[in-house]
Amino acid sequence: MTLQIKSIDEYHTEYARSVADPEGFWAEQAATFRWHKPWRQVLKWNFREPNVQWFVGGRLNITENCLDRHLETRPNQVAILWEPNDPKRKPRKITYKQLYGQVCQFANALKAQGVKKGDRVCIYMPMTPELAVAVLACARIGAIHSVVFAGFSAVSLADRIKDAQCKVVLTSDGNSRGPKNIPVKQVVDEAIALGCDSVEHVIVHQNTGDPVAMHSDRDIWWHEAIKGKRKSCKATIVDSEDMLFILYTSGSTGKPKGVVHTHGGYMVYTEYTFRNVFQYQPGEVYWCTADIGWVTGHSYIVYGPLLAGATSVMFEGIPTYPDPGRFWDVIQRHKVNIFYTAPTAIRALMAAGDTWVKGRRMPSLRVLGTVGEPINEEAWHWYNERIGKKRCPIVDTWWQTETGGILITPIAGITPLKPCYATLPLPGVQPCLVDANGNEIEGNDVEGMLCLKFPWPAILRTTYGDHERCRQTYFAAFKDKYFTGDGARRDADGMYRIIGRVDDVINVSGHRIGTAEVEDAINKTPRVVESAVVGYPHDIKGQGIYAYVIADGPVADEAAFKKSVLDTVTREIGPIAKPDKIQVVPGLPKTRSGKIMRRILRKIAEGDTSNLGDTTTLLNPEVVEEIKAGAV
Ligand code: WTA
């Protein structure tokens, strides 16, 4: 058994073994954790219903594995190294022992507020250590956390609170992001006023010190809630398949869905992937720049690193504050060994110029990683040369909210690299490419839709409250396969390159945005009759949002009209979904059955109108010329 793959030969052996005997393979990995009751069956599965269960009958608590078991070996090692937004403030270093105490204390506070096993707790907090404490405290008592990125609007937050019927909301007085403080508690108040009847209490962490309105019957300060609470709390032992968390993510249709992950499989998989992909060595400092509001933060700031006993850096701010040298500054100061970020950040910092990198010494760096969207060749080389000095392998990690952990990636220092390639599947991961008819495409040097043929321990179990939607979205397109929504190519060497989404999901700065969701929001703007949203290539964001909007009549003041569209989207979803370009159009190209021809709109948004294909069969071919002429 190998806990950490050490050579490419070993990778191939482990991979072959994981396919020949997946149950034996994962059972050995799982055996390294603390269980209260062993599983009676490693895996039960079918992709029809779907029904996937790992370590069936096993009982555990993930936080005992993140915290308690490290108390014997590394109580005084820093678990979370917090870098504040304001570089003049002191970083906070929280050891495993201290984190254990804080998690237990807050778990006791949650219990005192009436939170029980299986209750849903919404967490709408900035990137302070208390956010990680909150997540772990929920898990400690078997409550299900639903973290909502603190940049979402009150409307989006309310949708998520209602969908999961959250009993408690955890928030802060404010969120320091670059030069501004964002009043997050106010957003929570607005959200709850939108009819979140399930919410009994709001616990407010004092972060910025900004004044907030407290509702005496409902709200309580974090520091009051923990007062007098003990710093130990017996972990609630749960079933391997009990829900650990819900995380909402966008798809091609409808409102975001609550992807569900469970305790046992998620634990085994995030730890295994963290340890192997980054080749984490004891004592190293690891920094993932994501927000815990996204899956990357869940799996690779909180759970994976803590399970592996790592020192995980948590950063409150943004890459460009106070200047675009901030990341490099933090790496230098905290002697970061492993750095994991998103292509959009790399492109933005590359565009800011090399002066911000020059003069920074980063000899501690050993491994670089990227995640969230395809990385373009220029950014890959810049990252490799300027940041890694050509001596740090880049792990281009492909995965999704639904996969819980990394699936296709190089293993640092072991897998041969190829710019822009996620390269090879990790052990236990069985990808395949499928054509439009659902036939598997064999051989190499081919392209198709990326699917997975076999479950890995952290695959999503359901979408909260709507299992049929889970089946429809991921398991219905191709028989007995999980469909990712991504297109990929497998080159002559059998290496995978992710091309991007093949559905109506766009990837803006590494954030998944459903076009239908943005259209629904735009359509709520006064005077808007209909809209269509597509993605287009954007230098920094990867993809930008292009919105075609039909108004109910002539628009005299176009600037004011567009502003009202932007304001509505900000209100309904949040600033991350704001269109980059808005074009007011007289109509949208439609087929005779009334379907919007997005292919044409995509081409126009890309600025490529040379070959729009046959438009004569459209219901309204004349509108295409008008849209072309008015493209922005
Ligand atoms: C995209 C983020 C290319 C992909 C972990 C996927 C990537 C979606 C990569 C999931 C990568 C993620 N190369 N594309 N290395 N990583 N993606 O759920 O389109 O926020 O389907 O999870 O991001 O986004 P999500």
Side-chain angles (χ1 to χ4, degrees):
M1 175 176 87
T2 316
L3 291 180
Q4 202 169 37
I5 293 165
K6 284 290 161 217
S7 68
I8 191 73
D9 290 341
E10 204 169 64
Y11 161 77
H12 287 297
T13 317
E14 288 285 290
Y15 187 82
R17 155 110 207 273
S18 78
V19 174
D21 176 21
E23 299 198 22
F25 178 84
W26 287 115
E28 281 180 3
Q29 296 300 331
T32 63
F33 295 87
R34 192 182 279 187
W35 296 83
H36 282 255
K37 192 174 158 214
W39 53 89
R40 49 172 194 276
Q41 191 177 345
V42 178
L43 171 65
K44 242 191 198 168
W45 74 288
N46 75 67
F47 277 174
R48 270 171 293 105
E49 298 175 53
N51 179 359
V52 180
Q53 297 177 44
W54 280 92
F55 313 112
V56 187
R59 294 184 64 79
L60 75 157
N61 184 288
I62 192 169
T63 69
E64 283 196 336
N65 288 288
C66 290
L67 302 169
D68 307 44
R69 68 179 176 144
H70 299 314
L71 295 184
E72 293 144 29
T73 46
R74 48 176 70 87
N76 300 319
Q77 185 195 308
V78 175
I80 293 178
L81 200 173
W82 182 70
E83 171 72 18
N85 176 57
D86 177 355
K88 291 199 276 307
R89 278 180 70 193
K90 243 180 92 151
R92 277 166 67 186
K93 294 182 178 177
I94 303 169
T95 64
Y96 272 94
K97 193 162 159 222
Q98 290 165 335
L99 185 61
Y100 170 85
Q102 292 179 20
V103 168
C104 286
Q105 193 175 37
F106 193 64
N108 286 324
L110 285 174
K111 279 192 194 168
Q113 297 297 313
V115 180
K116 291 190 282 298
K117 176 173 184 279
D119 285 344
R120 277 79 56 212
V121 175
C122 176
I123 307 180
Y124 186 78
M125 289 175 79
M127 283 286 286
T128 54
E130 284 71 20
L131 166 53
V133 169
V135 162
L136 294 166
C138 289
R140 186 83 182 168
I141 60 172
I144 301 163
H145 55 79
S146 168
V147 183
V148 177
F149 173 62
F152 278 114
S153 71
V155 176
S156 288
L157 176 60
D159 283 345
R160 287 158 171 80
I161 293 174
K162 285 184 207 166
D163 189 72
Q165 288 290 296
C166 296
K167 191 170 182 179
V168 168
V169 179
L170 312 178
T171 190
S172 293
D173 50 358
N175 180 2
S176 310
R177 300 275 294 166
K180 330 180 261 222
N181 280 357
I182 301 156
V184 278
K185 165 65 163 65
Q186 198 180 311
V187 181
V188 170
D189 289 342
E190 284 167 31
I192 294 177
L194 293 169
C196 297
D197 302 331
S198 61
V199 177
E200 293 171 12
H201 295 289
V202 177
I203 306 181
V204 188
H205 174 246
Q206 201 165 33
N207 178 40
T208 55
D210 294 334
V212 295
M214 295 290 277
H215 299 241
S216 59
D217 52 337
R218 189 195 70 191
D219 303 351
I220 175 168
W221 287 105
W222 179 292
H223 54 267
E224 298 289 341
I226 60 171
K227 212 176 251 171
K229 298 287 179 294
R230 292 181 44 200
K231 289 194 170 170
S232 63
C233 170
K234 208 162 168 272
T236 301
I237 303 309
V238 301
D239 193 274
S240 175
E241 281 300 327
D242 276 340
M243 280 187 205
L244 172 62
F245 67 85
I246 305 170
L247 184 57
Y248 286 84
T249 192
S250 298
S252 356
T253 54
K255 289 201 189 271
K257 27 186 190 305
V259 167
V260 170
H261 288 288
T262 56
H263 278 254
Y266 179 83
M267 171 180 79
V268 172
Y269 196 73
T270 51
E271 199 260 2
Y272 176 81
T273 52
F274 174 77
R275 192 161 21 87
N276 277 283
V277 172
F278 301 106
Q279 291 284 298
Y280 184 80
Q281 303 302 318
E284 284 191 321
V285 178
Y286 159 88
W287 180 19
C288 166
T289 69
D291 191 292
I292 294 174
W294 312 112
V295 75
T296 307
H298 281 64
S299 303
Y300 298 110
I301 294 178
V302 182
Y303 288 112
L306 296 181
L307 286 163
T311 297
S312 182
V313 176
M314 199 175 156
F315 176 43
E316 186 185 28
I318 56 173
T320 49
Y321 180 80
D323 61 52
R326 185 70 191 272
F327 275 3
W328 323 132
D329 223 36
V330 175
I331 292 174
Q332 178 174 333
R333 207 142 29 86
H334 297 306
K335 302 193 173 53
V336 172
N337 305 110
I338 303 169
F339 178 65
Y340 190 29
T341 194
T344 187
I346 299 170
R347 286 191 297 266
L349 299 177
M350 179 171 86
D354 285 354
T355 45
W356 300 107
V357 188
K358 281 188 191 133
R360 254 96 187 186
R361 288 193 29 80
M362 301 183 272
S364 58
L365 280 179
R366 188 177 63 76
V367 174
L368 300 175
T370 83
V371 59
E373 52 178 318
I375 183 166
N376 51 309
E377 201 141 347
E378 199 191 349
W380 194 96
H381 287 296
W382 186 84
Y383 198 32
N384 182 34
E385 286 161 24
R386 300 303 144 86
I387 307 306
K389 307 282 186 219
K390 293 196 186 164
R391 52 170 195 84
C392 303
I394 297 180
V395 291
D396 179 349
T397 63
W398 172 83
W399 58 297
Q400 311 178 296
T401 305
E402 296 85 344
T403 72
I406 299 167
L407 297 192
I408 306 183
T409 181
I411 295 177
I414 288 166
T415 313
L417 301 179
K418 202 174 245 193
C420 313
Y421 276 72
T423 72
L424 300 173
L426 287 172
V429 175
Q430 301 186 32
C432 64
L433 298 176
V434 171
D435 68 20
N437 301 320
N439 299 316
E440 193 174 328
I441 307 168
E442 307 276 351
N444 286 343
D445 204 5
V446 290
E447 224 174 275
M449 287 176 277
L450 182 60
C451 293
L452 293 137
K453 297 198 276 198
F454 196 86
W456 59 99
I459 186 173
L460 87 159
R461 301 302 196 261
T462 188
T463 47
Y464 192 79
D466 193 351
H467 193 65
E468 172 56 17
R469 190 163 177 210
C470 171
R471 192 189 67 79
Q472 271 291 337
T473 311
Y474 307 105
F475 299 92
F478 306 111
K479 191 167 172 283
D480 290 331
K481 291 183 179 68
Y482 165 84
F483 175 44
T484 64
D486 281 320
R489 91 170 258 101
R490 187 167 53 222
D491 75 359
D493 303 322
M495 291 209 173
Y496 287 88
R497 175 178 192 157
I498 311 301
I499 299 164
R501 303 289 304 196
V502 294
D503 54 10
D504 289 325
V505 171
I506 42 191
N507 194 326
V508 182
S509 302
H511 300 146
R512 264 167 78 167
I513 309 223
T515 49
E517 233 181 300
V518 183
E519 289 163 7
D520 282 348
I522 293 176
N523 296 350
K524 293 194 172 129
T525 315
R527 299 207 50 203
V528 170
V529 175
E530 197 181 0
S531 62
V533 164
V534 297
Y536 72 95
H538 187 288
D539 283 349
I540 304 287
K541 299 180 176 182
Q543 276 188 301
I545 303 179
Y546 195 119
Y548 298 91
V549 181
I550 307 176
D552 61 1
V555 175
D557 185 348
E558 220 173 81
F561 177 70
K562 288 181 180 178
K563 182 167 181 303
S564 68
V565 169
L566 293 177
D567 290 346
T568 313
V569 173
T570 306
R571 192 189 67 223
E572 293 291 318
I573 306 176
I576 55 169
K578 276 201 307 201
D580 299 276
K581 293 182 179 181
I582 299 173
Q583 183 182 352
V584 183
V585 293
L588 293 166
K590 288 191 178 168
T591 62
R592 288 184 191 278
S593 59
K595 221 174 137 214
I596 296 173
M597 287 293 285
R598 286 171 191 280
R599 184 179 51 78
I600 294 176
L601 295 176
R602 249 180 246 130
K603 284 241 168 198
I604 297 174
E606 282 164 15
D608 171 17
T609 51
S610 53
N611 180 16
L612 292 181
D614 184 11
T615 55
T616 54
T617 56
L618 290 177
L619 193 65
N620 48 356
E622 70 295 338
V623 84
V624 174
E625 288 309 312
E626 286 184 65
I627 296 178
K628 259 165 69 177
V632 289

